[in-house]
Structures are given as structure tokens and as C-alpha cells.
Amino acid sequence: MVYTKDVIHGIVEKQNNFFRSGKTLDVNFRRRMLIKLKNAVMKYKDVLVQALSSDLGRSDVEAYMCDIGTLVLELNETLRGLRRWAKPEIHFSGLLCFPGLFTKVYKMPYGTVLIISPFNFPVLLSLGVLVAAISGGNTAVVKVSSKSVNCSKAVADLISETFTPDYVTVIQGGHDVADMCLAQRFDKIFYTGSPEIAKHIMTEAAKNLTPVALELGGETGNWCIIRKDANLKDAARKVAFFKLCNSGQICININQVAVAEEVADEFVGLLKSEFEKQIGKNAVENPEYPKLISAQAYDKCKKEAELYRDRIVYGGFGSEEKCKYAPSIIYPVNIDEPIVNHELFNPLLPVVTFRDCDVESLLDTVSRREKPLALYVFSKNRRWADRVMRSMQYGGGCINEVCYHMMVRGVPFNGVGHSGIGAYHGKWGFAEFTHPSTVLRGSSHLNLPLRYHPYGNSGIKFKLIKFFEK
């Protein structure tokens, strides 16, 4: 389909009309739509797995674990909790509002929303956000990535078979199509991607004062800090697993590791062993190892690796034909070098060293940079680790673990500052796609005359008002 401004405007108008019909206000309707979506995901499971393999070289296990299975968990959690989340809150209004004794807070949908999804998790980060939008009672336009061609087509086919386009529709295309979408007046925009594009989206959204939710990677990347008292073998195993996942193309992935210099050599040795144990001596030849999304991404990764060729102690090679670059350890790296001052989004892994007694100085440096989407610390000193996680600014994270915080049900997934605005998953996604409306029910009987003129400066009205407003 060829998209023009008029075509997209027509899609949005039809969705606005559908929303104004009031059908989406019914919680039972939303639940039926979520069940339809779940059934469609299971029906298209094999198609989605194949698409993830074609676009990103994902193995069947990784494709299901990271995109499809996680999406099913999100659907199940939302189906279980939706009635409870959508129920209006009832509050006592206070004596000053008498005879209006009770006030309700309704959780109202925004209306027609725009979801712009990325290439790295093209199923989860399009349909997973859609789950939240549907649960909130919205209609939705989903702009899928032009980079993950096969996944975008599969998602589009799934949605067109499941929903009418005046309720949910998928739009495919490049940045020009995305800009045509942004030119429309949506009621909410949800974007997952880079901070740079997010600035453009906020600029366009501001023209209509459209509220936005942003899930970003952070400009200076996610840190993993390993103290000298950490279980180094356990840390190496988990860091290696995570860096291999999707070939590093994950917004919460480890951008750089900071290791206490007292144990840095030992940790790097263990990390090498773990990479070989998990993916083999030549990751590029292993069919389980994912590829980079495009030739451009491969070239960018290779070019940056060449800048640090003399310090690559593991990996440092790839296959342009297969669009795969091996997991590569760059060691040692100074904390002020360019490679640790921007998001990598590839399998390069710089290792920064610090004296363990100077860990607070390291934390101070990290805190002065843009706020990351994720923070990971490895240490047996739980008091220190807890203090760090309570005092630093970041989206989410783990102590002695990586990435699994986003798999926990009932908790938010979100960033802060340059790593995002807003939150979703489960009830947090429902809240992100609804706004609270406060309604007091008054009465035409027994109204207190306190609010009506004349007041007087020291009369009984003023005394009663001061009493009620304590």
C-alpha cells in the first residue's frame, strides 16, 4: 500500500469515529479483543519465529523466549488484572464538599494512539505495547520498523486478520511515513527507539500538545559494575549470555563493564571462556548466534572495533556476508574514551577498570552522564549494592543478575531522562494509556451556604471554612 498524508489522515479519522462510538469503553469488549490478539499470536507463532530468524538470525528458542513467550505473559497478566485496574476509585469527598459525599476517579482512555516500534524486538515492542493500548480502551495505529521487513509484514498480516482497520491497523514504511503519521493529531504517542529520534517525536507532538511515552536506550549506555568481592564466574556467565542475546541489539543490554582492577584480568579470562562455552570459538559460524539488522549496522560495528584494534583481546572479526560480528572484548578502556560515551547496540564490550576503593568516584562519574535505561551491579556486599540501587538514577536494573528485572510481572518497565518517559507492562501499561478523571456527585439538597457570598472577614462562614480545610 502506498501511504500519503491523505491516506493516513483517513485512517486516523476512521479510528477517531470508532473511538467516539463508545465501544472501547466496555471492559468486556477490551478483554475480547485481547483474547483475539492472544489467539492470533499463537496462530502466527511459527510465522513470527521464522520472520525473527530472517530479520535478526534468531534461533527458535531465543525468538520465542524474547518476543513471543514474553508477549503471551504480558497478555495473560493483562487479562487477569484488567477488570480490577479499570474499576473506578471511590473517595470520600470531605465535609467541605457536603452533600457531595463521594467522588469517583474514572480511568479514561486517551482515544486514538500512535505506537512506533523498533527493529530489535519487532514483535514484542509492537504487539506488547498494543496490549497496553487495548487494555486502556484506545484505538491504535502501529507504525512498524522498515528495517525488520519480514517481522513487520508478519505483524501487519496478523493484525489485519484479527482487527478491523478502524480499530487497530499497522502502517509499514520508512521515516517519511513515520513523519506523515506524526503530522496527524493523535491523542497519545508511544515510541521505542533512540534518544535522537525521540527529540524529533517530542517536537512534532508538541505542535498538538500530544502526550508522549518514550522507551529509549540512553545516550551513554547501560553500566555493569563488578566489585572485587563479586562471584566472578557467575558474573562472567551472565554478562556473556546477555551480550550474545540478539547480538547486543537490546536497549537494556550492557554497554560497558566496569571491573575492579584487582580482579579485572581474572574476569576477562572467565568472560572469554564463557563466550566460547556458550557460543563456540567462532560465533559467526554458529547458527544460534543472531546477526546485526543491516549492512549499515555491521559496518558501523566493524568501524568502531577497528578504532580499538590494538585492545581487542577476544573476537574482533565478523562476516559481512552473514551480517554477523563476533562478541568482542575491548580491554582495558579508559572511562572517558568515546566508546563508553555513547550507546553501542552491538556485540562490542568495552571493559573499564577502577580501583575497588574508588568505586564511589566511578559512581559519581556515571551519575554525571545521561541516565541509563538499566544498571547492573555484582557484589557480595548487599548493603552497598542496595544503597547504589536506591540512590542512582536509572530505569531499572539488577543486583548479581542481568536483564531479568523486565521479566517480573506487576512491575514497571521504564526509563528516566534520556532513557525514557513513562512506564508500561501490566497495570503500568494500563495506567500509561489511560488518564484519571475525577468526578464528584453533588446534590441539590442540603447544600451548605459556606461558599456563597457574602463572606464577611470574621464571621461564622470563615471560621467553618478554616475548620473544614485543616
Side-chain angles (χ1 to χ4, degrees):
M1 182 176 184
V2 178
Y3 292 103
T4 64
K5 285 186 178 181
D6 289 340
V7 169
I8 294 175
H9 179 75
I11 291 170
V12 175
E13 279 302 299
K14 288 178 181 177
Q15 291 211 355
N16 286 336
N17 291 335
F18 187 92
F19 177 75
R20 282 191 286 265
S21 73
K23 291 181 181 178
T24 67
L25 296 177
D26 181 5
V27 174
N28 290 323
F29 171 84
R30 302 181 209 176
R31 295 190 82 258
R32 289 196 301 272
M33 296 303 102
L34 290 169
I35 291 169
K36 284 185 70 175
L37 180 57
K38 180 181 176 181
N39 291 338
V41 169
M42 299 313 295
K43 178 181 176 181
Y44 269 77
K45 177 182 63 176
D46 294 339
V47 175
L48 295 171
V49 166
Q50 182 56 52
L52 287 162
S53 175
S54 298
D55 287 334
L56 290 156
R58 298 262 197 91
S59 68
D60 291 2
V61 173
E62 186 172 315
Y64 191 88
M65 176 177 66
C66 295
D67 266 79
I68 299 165
T70 306
L71 174 59
V72 172
L73 285 174
E74 184 75 11
L75 279 157
N76 288 340
E77 180 183 1
T78 303
L79 283 166
R80 283 194 298 268
L82 182 54
R83 292 190 194 281
R84 183 173 68 255
W85 305 337
K87 190 176 181 181
E89 296 178 13
I90 301 176
H91 297 261
F92 175 61
S93 304
L95 293 176
L96 190 65
C97 299
F98 184 85
L101 294 178
F102 297 102
T103 294
K104 285 188 176 182
V105 179
Y106 295 97
K107 286 67 174 290
M108 301 299 294
Y110 278 98
T112 299
V113 303
L114 173 63
I115 298 167
I116 303 177
S117 63
F119 71 83
N120 59 327
F121 288 90
V123 177
L124 177 63
L125 298 182
S126 56
L127 299 183
V129 182
L130 179 61
V131 170
I134 290 174
S135 75
N138 304 278
T139 60
V141 172
V142 183
K143 166 59 182 72
V144 288
S145 174
S146 60
K147 294 181 179 179
S148 49
V149 178
N150 296 283
C151 288
S152 292
K153 184 182 183 303
V155 169
D157 290 344
L158 183 156
I159 292 299
S160 65
E161 186 179 305
T162 307
F163 303 116
T164 57
D166 58 351
Y167 178 50
V168 179
T169 194
V170 170
I171 290 179
Q172 302 180 67
H175 293 306
D176 57 330
V177 175
D179 280 340
M180 285 189 277
C181 290
L182 290 170
Q184 306 302 314
R185 184 161 191 163
F186 284 93
D187 299 300
K188 175 91 174 187
I189 297 173
F190 192 109
Y191 168 74
T192 304
S194 72
E196 195 60 38
I197 301 299
K199 294 173 187 176
H200 171 65
I201 287 171
M202 290 191 76
T203 299
E204 295 302 304
K207 294 176 181 177
N208 291 314
L209 296 180
T210 303
V212 299
L214 306 172
E215 294 299 337
L216 315 172
E219 289 186 3
T220 49
N222 307 313
W223 285 84
C224 176
I225 299 171
I226 300 174
R227 300 286 303 272
K228 70 177 183 180
D229 66 345
N231 183 325
L232 298 182
K233 186 174 183 179
D234 179 66
R237 181 169 62 244
K238 290 170 179 175
V239 170
F241 147 75
F242 199 21
K243 201 63 183 179
L244 292 172
C245 190
N246 209 29
S247 200
Q249 299 167 110
I250 304 177
C251 57
I252 60 169
N253 213 325
I254 297 165
N255 207 70
Q256 55 269 322
V257 178
V259 187
E261 62 182 27
E262 295 91 336
V263 295
D265 287 344
E266 182 182 357
F267 173 78
V268 169
L270 290 167
L271 187 58
K272 292 178 185 178
S273 298
E274 281 299 329
F275 275 135
E276 289 194 1
K277 186 183 299 183
Q278 294 184 35
I279 207 69
K281 290 187 177 181
N282 188 345
V284 172
E285 298 299 325
N286 191 321
E288 285 193 1
Y289 183 57
K291 63 182 180 179
L292 294 166
I293 188 63
S294 65
Q296 183 182 10
Y298 177 87
D299 290 342
K300 183 179 179 181
C301 175
K302 180 181 177 181
K303 183 178 179 180
E304 187 144 35
E306 290 304 317
L307 296 174
Y308 296 86
R309 171 59 57 188
D310 61 329
R311 283 178 280 171
I312 294 178
V313 297
Y314 181 85
F317 62 91
S319 167
E320 186 175 359
E321 180 185 1
K322 295 180 179 180
C323 220
K324 292 185 178 184
Y325 201 89
S328 302
I329 304 171
I330 303 172
Y331 170 72
V333 176
N334 187 280
I335 198 169
D336 293 320
E337 293 190 58
I339 197 170
V340 293
N341 276 280
H342 70 95
E343 186 180 20
L344 293 172
F345 225 62
N346 60 40
L348 304 183
L349 185 60
V351 178
V352 175
T353 61
F354 66 95
R355 291 194 304 170
D356 195 71
C357 62
D358 292 333
V359 67
E360 298 305 318
S361 177
L362 169 72
L363 292 172
D364 180 66
T365 300
V366 172
S367 70
R368 291 175 185 274
R369 296 180 180 177
E370 299 300 349
K371 299 174 179 64
L373 184 59
L375 176 65
Y376 308 103
V377 298
F378 284 82
S379 173
K380 292 176 184 174
N381 186 339
R382 293 301 297 268
R383 181 176 293 180
W384 172 84
D386 287 338
R387 178 176 61 79
V388 169
M389 302 310 269
R390 288 197 311 268
S391 59
M392 297 288 284
Q393 293 290 306
Y394 57 96
C398 302
I399 297 172
N400 295 327
E401 187 54 270
V402 294
C403 81
Y404 268 41
H405 63 288
M406 71 167 295
M407 301 296 290
V408 180
R409 301 298 93 191
V411 300
F413 177 70
N414 62 306
V416 59
H418 278 231
S419 59
I421 299 170
Y424 75 118
H425 285 185
K427 68 177 182 180
W428 301 87
F430 171 84
E432 189 63 53
F433 279 95
T434 57
H435 62 91
S437 294
T438 300
V439 178
L440 180 145
R441 178 171 298 198
S443 172
S444 58
H445 305 288
L446 301 175
N447 281 281
L448 293 177
L450 296 179
R451 58 182 161 179
Y452 303 117
H453 290 281
Y455 295 134
N457 291 327
S458 59
I460 187 65
K461 283 187 180 181
F462 191 27
K463 292 178 181 178
L464 286 172
I465 287 171
K466 289 196 291 184
F467 175 78
F468 288 139
E469 288 190 341
K470 284 184 178 179

